[in-house]
Amino acid sequence: MTGTAIYPGSFDPITNGHLSLIHRGLQIFDKLIVAVAINPNKEGFFTIDERVEIIRELLKDKPGVEVDTFTGLTVEYVKSRGANVIVKGLRAMSDFESEFQMALMNRRLEREIQSVFLMTDYKWFYISSSIIKEVASFGGDISGMVPALVNQRLKEKFKKE
Ligand code: PNS
């Protein structure tokens, strides 16, 4: 095992796919910083504070995990944390195109930072935060695809809307 890696993303909300990746990332890296990106141009469903609070609660017993937020470029954040590895998950071919683009751009911006991709477990291949939100918005059953806490928060939020 070696060093610190940054796992950046929107996590709006975190799914079982993300959690699986975090657990597997910890088998490779001593420390994983789950970095929630603040995007001023995109209003999220959960606020940044809500996302962070949920992730912290779910991972509170995992030594080696830190939950943080960042604005601006991922590579700048990675540097500011003294790390040089970005971890991302890859689901299907559709992910490959955008992830490849981001990885090449990040490398162009910062040659010393490496992107490492872990294949998503087949069980979570079809899961994304967006599809989870869509199904939950229509009252579909998403248990087993997200942690119980996320399921509960989604229900509460859709009830309020
Ligand atoms: O969970 P997501 O939405 O796939 O995460 C995408 C994220 C946040 C990792 C990506 O949009 C990002 O890195 N944003 C920060 C701004 C940045 O560095 N953009 C250039 C990346 S090529």
Side-chain angles (χ1 to χ4, degrees), residues 10 12 37-48 50-51 133 157 161:
S10 307
D12 189 26
I38 301 170
N39 184 347
N41 303 316
K42 195 171 135 194
E43 208 199 327
F45 181 67
F46 287 99
T47 66
I48 296 291
E50 286 171 330
R51 291 180 230 172
K133 280 180 283 195
K157 200 124 181 158
E161 284 197 344

Side-chain angles (χ1 to χ4, degrees), residues 21 53 56 66 72 104 106 123:
L21 204 103
E53 186 237 315
R56 286 213 173 114
E66 181 186 327
L104 290 179
N106 284 334
K123 283 187 284 212

Side-chain angles (χ1 to χ4, degrees), residues 9 42 49 59 63 68 70 75 91 102 109 112 119 127 129-131 136 139 142 160:
K42 195 171 135 194
D49 286 349
L59 295 166
D68 196 7
F70 73 101
V75 288
R91 284 169 305 197
M102 280 195 267
L109 293 170
E112 301 304 312
M119 294 296 291
I127 289 177
S129 298
S130 320
I131 204 167
I142 48 153
K160 269 192 219 147

Side-chain angles (χ1 to χ4, degrees), residues 3-161:
T4 297
I6 311 288
Y7 179 26
S10 307
F11 304 105
D12 189 26
I14 192 162
T15 67
N16 283 351
H18 293 125
L19 286 174
S20 156
L21 204 103
I22 291 166
H23 293 136
R24 288 166 50 226
L26 283 171
Q27 293 174 24
I28 304 170
F29 301 99
D30 299 313
K31 181 170 174 180
L32 206 61
I33 301 176
V34 180
V36 182
I38 301 170
N39 184 347
N41 303 316
K42 195 171 135 194
E43 208 199 327
F45 181 67
F46 287 99
T47 66
I48 296 291
D49 286 349
E50 286 171 330
R51 291 180 230 172
V52 167
E53 186 237 315
I54 292 170
I55 302 169
R56 286 213 173 114
E57 175 60 28
L58 294 170
L59 295 166
K60 65 173 189 250
D61 297 327
K62 274 272 160 213
V65 173
E66 181 186 327
V67 186
D68 196 7
T69 60
F70 73 101
T71 44
L73 290 175
T74 297
V75 288
E76 291 299 331
Y77 174 72
V78 173
K79 271 199 295 182
S80 77
R81 297 304 313 263
N84 68 346
V85 179
I86 297 171
V87 170
K88 298 294 291 282
L90 264 189
R91 284 169 305 197
M93 290 310 287
S94 51
D95 270 351
F96 183 80
E97 204 173 320
S98 59
E99 291 297 342
F100 194 44
Q101 187 181 26
M102 280 195 267
L104 290 179
M105 175 58 86
N106 284 334
R107 193 147 70 98
R108 170 75 200 256
L109 293 170
E110 199 51 64
R111 272 206 97 71
E112 301 304 312
I113 293 176
Q114 300 299 336
S115 294
V116 171
F117 293 94
L118 296 182
M119 294 296 291
T120 296
D121 193 299
Y122 71 93
K123 283 187 284 212
W124 317 118
F125 216 67
Y126 58 99
I127 289 177
S128 68
S129 298
S130 320
I131 204 167
I132 289 290
K133 280 180 283 195
E134 182 171 326
V135 173
S137 75
F138 293 118
D141 182 13
I142 48 153
S143 55
M145 302 179 216
V146 292
L149 176 64
V150 172
N151 197 349
Q152 178 199 324
R153 292 295 171 86
L154 280 165
K155 280 188 185 144
E156 286 166 7
K157 200 124 181 158
F158 280 119
K159 218 181 276 170
K160 269 192 219 147
E161 284 197 344

